[in-house]
Amino acid sequence: MEPFFNTGTMSHHLISVAEASRLVAQYAPLGGWEWVELRHALGRVTAQSVASDIDSPPHDKTIVDGFAIRAEDLSNGVGELEVIETVMAGMWPNRMLQAGQATRIMTGAPLPIGADAVVMVERTTSVVGDEQSRVRIDDSTLRVGQNVVRRGAAMRVGDKVIAARRCLRSLEIGLLAEVGRETVKVCWRPTVAVLSTGNELVPHQDVPRAGQIRNSNGPMLAAAVHRAGGVARELPIGPDDPTKLAALIRDGLDADMLLISGGVSAGDLDLTPGILRELGVVEIFHKVQLKPGKPLWFGVLRGERDKLVFGLPGNPVSSLVCFLLFVRPAIRRYLGEIDVEPRRQRAVLSAPYRQRGPRAAYVPSKCEWNNDGLQVRPLSSQGSGDLRAMIDANALAHFPPGDQDYAAGASIEILPLDDA
């Protein structure tokens, strides 16, 4: 597969967000698979479909407390029957129903042979003063099959109950337990190396001196990788020194993916693209019609299994926006998911917004439901370095490229930040 750009001879030009997403998906590999215990399978993606080894329910059962009867023994749902036994959930009926008989039965218990309906206890009265246990029934709605779930109604032996490439939630874990799975075949979790670069950075636990800032991108991106389902490996901070930076990047290329924040713009110390080229990483694109996130760099180290490299902008908001739009889908594809694109929905602007410039904007915003539906309000900030403003956001408001004034009440597209 040829790279999108001939990196040695062609000047960079901006590509659209849609084209960048297409190229990332084109190069993102599907991962391998492994077996994991069911208790560790939450959030993983199935590598194969799963079939049931049982009928569910395993027998005809009642869904109410009441009396199992033969509908033909009652006239218009009214009559008096002999009670021959009581069956609780977990028990098995000992006696078959004959004409004129009923079995007292509790929710979930199996139906006795001969029964074809269950009358709920609220429609019955015990007969007092008789040596035999009897019940009087008055249920004008009685019909065959009433309050009964038949064997195999939910699933039969051999039914496919969970498809391949499905992300396992707590619901699926419960269903896998119901069909007796101790282990599940799931797709690998990719290892993702995270490298933050810049002479100005110090570890987040240090007190910065003059001219320094704490490294917030590393912990943020490592957490985002974990949230996306990958295994993050945070590397030491990369200084703006070609030799030391190359050594760290070479180390990061041992992972399935490498995320580098900073050093991909156009400054004198933006060394990352050149080092990656020297290490054999093929540039696919550099710079996207995106605000924030224009400097995004993407490349591939070819091999038995291609390794993806993302050069993310150094500003934290830009870095996170690029992660959500491009890196997270690549991780989810590696994990085996098919539908990996960010979830989008519509919302109504609660205040006017002015969009300017040739780049698509993804603006940190606050969404809230009211009587008029989902409302969205872009948040004010001090730019793409203002991570504090992002804390109040629960969505990114999307404004397409071009100059346009959006009035309050306009419907726009948003990306919920549920997965940030």
Side-chain angles (χ1 to χ4, degrees):
M1 188 179 296
E2 293 300 318
F4 184 71
F5 290 119
N6 182 341
T7 56
T9 61
M10 186 173 181
S11 61
H12 295 118
H13 66 274
L14 275 67
I15 64 172
S16 69
V17 171
E19 180 65 4
S21 295
R22 186 190 69 79
L23 286 166
V24 171
Q26 178 179 318
Y27 284 90
L30 290 171
W33 57 268
E34 62 181 337
W35 290 94
V36 299
E37 294 180 19
L38 183 60
R39 62 195 176 100
H40 297 310
L42 183 66
R44 304 297 294 271
V45 177
T46 53
Q48 65 180 16
S49 62
V50 178
S52 176
D53 68 339
I54 58 168
D55 291 340
S56 181
H59 46 252
D60 295 350
K61 70 173 186 177
T62 175
I63 58 173
V64 298
D65 292 341
F67 291 86
I69 55 96
R70 304 182 338 147
E72 64 185 281
D73 287 342
L74 301 175
S75 176
N76 296 320
V78 178
E80 192 174 298
L81 301 173
E82 176 191 1
V83 180
I84 60 172
E85 69 173 329
T86 297
V87 180
M88 315 286 285
M91 296 174 58
W92 193 257
N94 292 314
R95 300 182 61 181
M96 173 180 173
L97 281 191
Q98 305 288 348
Q101 294 179 334
T103 294
R104 182 169 177 77
I105 194 168
M106 305 303 170
T107 301
L111 239 61
I113 296 173
D116 58 15
V118 175
V119 177
M120 51 196 310
V121 69
E122 291 84 351
R123 305 286 175 85
T124 68
T125 307
S126 295
V127 177
V128 180
D130 196 295
E131 291 183 2
Q132 289 182 309
S133 178
R134 301 183 67 82
V135 63
R136 183 175 293 114
I137 294 172
D138 186 354
D139 185 356
S140 60
T141 64
L142 179 65
R143 56 179 176 77
V144 172
Q146 177 175 289
N147 297 321
V148 173
V149 177
R150 295 297 180 187
R151 175 175 177 167
M155 57 188 169
R156 293 280 189 182
V157 173
D159 282 354
K160 183 172 74 173
V161 294
I162 295 179
R165 310 298 179 193
R166 187 180 185 96
C167 185
L168 298 176
R169 306 165 297 171
S170 54
L171 290 169
E172 283 83 3
I173 297 297
L175 183 55
L176 287 166
E178 186 176 352
V179 299
R181 289 301 177 116
E182 293 184 44
T183 58
V184 191
K185 188 177 182 181
V186 297
C187 298
W188 277 339
R189 299 175 67 195
T191 56
V192 183
V194 177
L195 172 60
S196 303
T197 69
N199 285 336
E200 74 278 16
L201 297 182
V202 295
H204 68 274
Q205 65 269 26
D206 290 1
V207 177
R209 298 194 301 269
Q212 296 180 328
I213 60 173
R214 288 188 173 108
N215 175 24
S216 59
N217 278 5
M220 178 184 70
L221 292 171
V225 167
H226 178 75
R227 185 71 181 269
V231 179
R233 179 164 69 91
E234 201 172 344
L235 300 173
I237 293 170
D240 294 320
D241 175 279
T243 301
K244 294 179 180 178
L245 188 56
L248 286 168
I249 290 176
R250 188 179 292 108
D251 182 18
L253 289 173
D254 286 339
D256 298 308
M257 297 185 194
L258 171 60
L259 308 184
I260 307 171
S261 69
V264 293
S265 190
D268 292 340
L269 294 181
D270 290 320
L271 307 172
T272 300
I275 293 173
L276 289 169
R277 208 161 31 239
E278 291 175 4
L279 294 175
V281 181
V282 178
E283 180 182 308
I284 306 302
F285 64 77
H286 186 190
K287 298 184 180 178
V288 180
Q289 292 170 349
L290 174 61
K291 179 182 177 182
K294 173 184 172 182
L296 177 67
W297 190 99
F298 173 65
V300 178
L301 180 65
R302 309 310 298 268
E304 183 178 344
R305 183 181 297 279
D306 290 347
K307 300 187 177 187
L308 307 186
V309 180
F310 293 88
L312 305 174
N315 282 326
V317 176
S318 303
S319 193
L320 185 61
V321 167
C322 288
F323 182 94
L324 295 173
L325 290 176
F326 306 108
V327 182
R328 187 181 189 280
I331 292 174
R332 297 310 299 178
R333 177 171 170 78
Y334 193 104
L335 283 166
E337 278 192 9
I338 298 173
D339 183 14
V340 298
E341 288 305 306
R343 182 168 62 89
R344 300 168 189 265
Q345 61 187 98
R346 306 294 296 186
V348 174
L349 277 172
S350 60
Y353 186 84
R354 172 172 287 188
Q355 161 69 353
R356 293 291 183 267
R359 290 183 283 153
Y362 286 84
V363 183
S365 302
K366 180 76 170 180
C367 283
E368 295 178 312
W369 287 94
N370 64 21
N371 293 335
D372 296 322
L374 185 60
Q375 306 285 307
V376 58
R377 174 174 56 87
L379 299 174
S380 60
S381 74
Q382 302 304 310
S384 58
D386 188 0
L387 195 57
R388 169 64 184 84
M390 190 81 170
I391 293 297
D392 294 326
N394 57 9
L396 297 175
H398 173 223
F399 298 96
D403 297 342
Q404 185 171 344
D405 292 326
Y406 292 84
S411 175
I412 66 167
E413 184 180 80
I414 65 166
L415 275 69
L417 290 177
D418 303 339
D419 299 318

